[in-house]
Amino acid sequence: MAHQGGKDEHTVWKVDEVKKIENSSEAQRLLLRVKEHADNVLRARGWRVKRLIEICCCEKKNMGSNLGVGGWCRSDGSGKGAAVIALRLRRPKSHEFHTFEHCLKVMWHEMAHIVHGNHSANFYAMMDEIARHYELIKEKGQLVGLDGFPIGGGRNADPERHNLSAAEGRAAGLKAAEIRAKKQALMGAGRLGGARAPPKLSPREAAARSR
């Protein structure tokens, strides 16, 4: 089932799980949990993700059958949003779910592609900046859930007034980015997500690929 986001534009607007697979309701819950946490960073940075979708090994569409792809991002062209971010929630073949922490880490990877298309040093710096921005919001007890209440017992937080700004996130991410730069040579490009978004297809092309 698709779920529309709230009135705040700077969130994940909608999530879509793969419905034909067993435990699709669990996939839905996992996507909504990723949305819940990612919304805090999106709101603080003035970004948006129009659709957050699941990809799976049993589906050719959306690059699901390409087992080397953990996720992908299709920018909306604004530099501040994604038309679609896709996440592989389950391990190939077994359909065992990845942990929430793994999925959230892939989400940060794909959100960095909103700004940087390639896996450059600037891309990894942005990924670290996003992750650190989230951790600072969390440390301050300012994570807000889908219901508008604090997550994890933190103090009341109005996201419009209390979320750390993008500038604060950039400053906080600098140290992490420096550490990432030292480790970058040890990481394979696209280790978390790494795929280019599939091209938009005409109805005829889409029908041909689905055969």
Side-chain angles (χ1 to χ4, degrees):
M1 179 181 295
H3 293 262
Q4 185 65 40
K7 294 181 180 179
D8 189 348
E9 178 185 3
H10 301 124
T11 58
V12 175
W13 292 5
K14 188 167 64 172
V15 305
D16 285 298
E17 72 280 4
V18 178
K19 301 172 183 65
K20 69 180 184 180
I21 310 174
E22 186 179 2
N23 295 324
S24 62
S25 61
E26 181 62 28
Q28 179 190 106
R29 284 192 291 270
L30 185 52
L31 283 175
L32 285 171
R33 190 178 177 196
V34 170
K35 165 186 160 53
E36 182 175 51
H37 287 252
D39 279 355
N40 287 269
V41 178
L42 293 168
R43 193 178 291 115
R45 303 184 78 88
W47 291 359
R48 62 186 171 271
V49 175
K50 295 180 180 179
R51 291 181 65 217
L52 177 62
I53 68 172
E54 177 187 11
I55 58 174
C56 185
C57 61
C58 58
E59 286 201 324
K60 290 184 178 180
K61 70 177 182 179
N62 295 323
M63 303 180 70
S65 60
N66 185 339
L67 303 187
V69 173
W72 50 262
C73 172
R74 179 185 292 138
S75 172
D76 66 6
S78 68
K80 294 185 177 182
V84 185
I85 284 180
L87 302 179
R88 187 179 299 281
L89 304 181
R90 309 166 190 253
R91 299 182 187 278
K93 308 302 182 184
S94 72
H95 286 169
E96 177 185 354
F97 284 102
H98 289 295
T99 65
F100 164 72
E101 290 76 17
H102 170 89
C103 295
L104 194 61
K105 190 173 182 180
V106 179
M107 185 67 174
W108 302 152
H109 181 106
E110 301 309 336
M111 282 171 56
H113 281 305
I114 290 174
V115 180
H116 300 289
N118 296 321
H119 292 118
S120 62
N122 287 336
F123 166 84
Y124 285 108
M126 176 58 68
M127 187 172 74
D128 283 320
E129 182 181 312
I130 291 168
R132 183 56 183 156
H133 197 168
Y134 168 77
E135 290 300 328
L136 279 179
I137 295 171
K138 186 177 178 180
E139 288 167 8
K140 288 179 176 289
Q142 296 172 356
L143 282 179
V144 178
L146 299 179
D147 57 5
F149 290 96
I151 298 173
R155 63 182 182 274
N156 289 334
D158 177 349
E160 295 298 325
R161 296 175 55 196
H162 296 288
N163 270 359
L164 297 174
S165 68
E168 290 173 302
R170 282 193 293 273
L174 181 59
K175 184 174 181 179
E178 292 172 348
I179 295 171
R180 168 74 66 179
K182 295 177 182 179
K183 294 181 178 179
Q184 187 176 345
L186 301 178
M187 294 181 63
R191 185 169 181 173
L192 291 176
R196 291 182 180 273
K200 292 184 177 179
L201 303 176
S202 68
R204 179 177 296 177
E205 290 172 321
R209 290 200 179 189
S210 65
R211 293 173 185 169

